[in-house]
Amino acid sequence: MSSASWKRDFASGLVILVPLLVTAYIIVWIYSALAAVPLPVQDQTVELLGEVYNVSAPLRVALTLVIFVLVVFSLGYLMRTAFGDFIEDGIDRVMNQLPGLRVVYNASKMAVETVVSGADELQEPVKIETWQGMRMTAFKTGQTTEDGRDVLFLPTAPNITTGYVVEVDPDSYEETDERVEEALTRVLSAGFGEAENTSIPVDVATDDADGE
């Protein structure tokens, strides 16, 4: 086995294992944080196969999730009313008056809006030539200006919550056959991750051939 081959196998193993470990760590951290919420839950024990288990932590986590979901739905219903718009505008005004914190508030709000509905609102990706010989990935927004230009969103990489809103003529960008998920994967990974990229670098293929 050549050095390039075992390096590729090791890298492939890391690609599978590291995301699983990170996901498991985040789940454990969230579970521990929810279990530490001071809710009025008494210690409950169950006996299973001769062993006694304390189930107060799972009950506390479940109760916390139920309360959180109810609060989210209640606020969402309130925000769809005129009174909700008034409250949201007031909160925005107050938070934008706080130096430093307004940056965190606006960034987190935009991030949540992008995660919840950003991908659904973005339409098909296109290629736009920003400078001569340089193309960038943009997304149609479905909006047009009064003079007939299409409004595109040009995200930054790897943070797609920031970017530029550009107005271009319909013949100034190139249509693609990509899906929104494929284009977002490329932007979020700063160009390193393609949704379907099975090509082998030339130098690696050459090393494998020499080692066989």
Side-chain angles (χ1 to χ4, degrees):
M1 181 182 294
S2 64
S3 60
S5 179
W6 71 260
K7 288 180 180 179
R8 186 175 58 197
D9 292 341
F10 184 77
S12 299
L14 286 179
V15 169
I16 298 298
L17 185 59
V18 171
L20 291 176
L21 292 177
V22 172
T23 303
Y25 175 81
I26 294 176
I27 293 176
V28 171
W29 182 85
I30 294 176
Y31 180 87
S32 301
L34 294 177
V37 175
L39 293 178
V41 177
Q42 296 181 351
D43 290 342
Q44 301 289 335
T45 59
V46 295
E47 184 176 352
L48 182 62
L49 299 178
E51 298 289 338
V52 178
Y53 298 93
N54 191 334
V55 295
S56 59
L59 290 176
R60 188 176 290 108
V61 171
L63 183 58
T64 302
L65 290 177
V66 170
I67 295 175
F68 177 78
V69 171
L70 291 177
V71 171
V72 170
F73 274 109
S74 300
L75 289 177
Y77 179 79
L78 178 63
M79 290 300 105
R80 291 192 290 111
T81 64
F83 182 68
D85 292 337
F86 175 77
I87 293 179
E88 184 177 8
D89 292 339
I91 294 175
D92 289 341
R93 284 196 300 268
V94 172
M95 296 303 297
N96 284 319
Q97 297 298 323
L98 303 177
L101 291 179
R102 62 184 179 185
V103 177
V104 178
Y105 173 78
N106 290 322
S108 59
K109 184 176 182 180
M110 187 178 300
V112 172
E113 291 176 349
T114 302
V115 171
V116 173
S117 60
D120 295 333
E121 293 178 356
L122 293 178
Q123 298 186 7
E124 59 183 285
V126 297
K127 300 290 186 180
I128 181 174
E129 186 172 350
T130 52
W131 293 278
Q132 186 174 4
M134 180 182 297
R135 297 192 311 176
M136 300 184 70
T137 300
F139 296 88
K140 288 184 177 181
T141 63
Q143 305 295 325
T144 57
T145 60
E146 294 182 355
D147 57 354
R149 297 190 179 190
D150 291 337
V151 179
L152 307 179
F153 175 64
L154 185 65
T156 56
N159 181 15
I160 63 171
T161 61
T162 61
Y164 303 94
V165 177
V166 295
E167 303 173 359
V168 297
D169 293 323
D171 56 352
S172 298
Y173 57 84
E174 179 183 347
E175 301 280 353
T176 68
D177 56 355
E178 282 187 312
R179 295 177 301 164
V180 174
E181 293 79 7
E182 294 173 342
L184 283 178
T185 299
R186 182 174 59 255
V187 177
L188 285 169
S189 63
F192 290 98
E194 293 289 344
E196 297 180 358
N197 185 9
T198 58
S199 61
I200 301 176
V202 177
D203 55 347
V204 174
T206 304
D207 292 339
D208 289 344
D210 294 339
E212 293 179 353

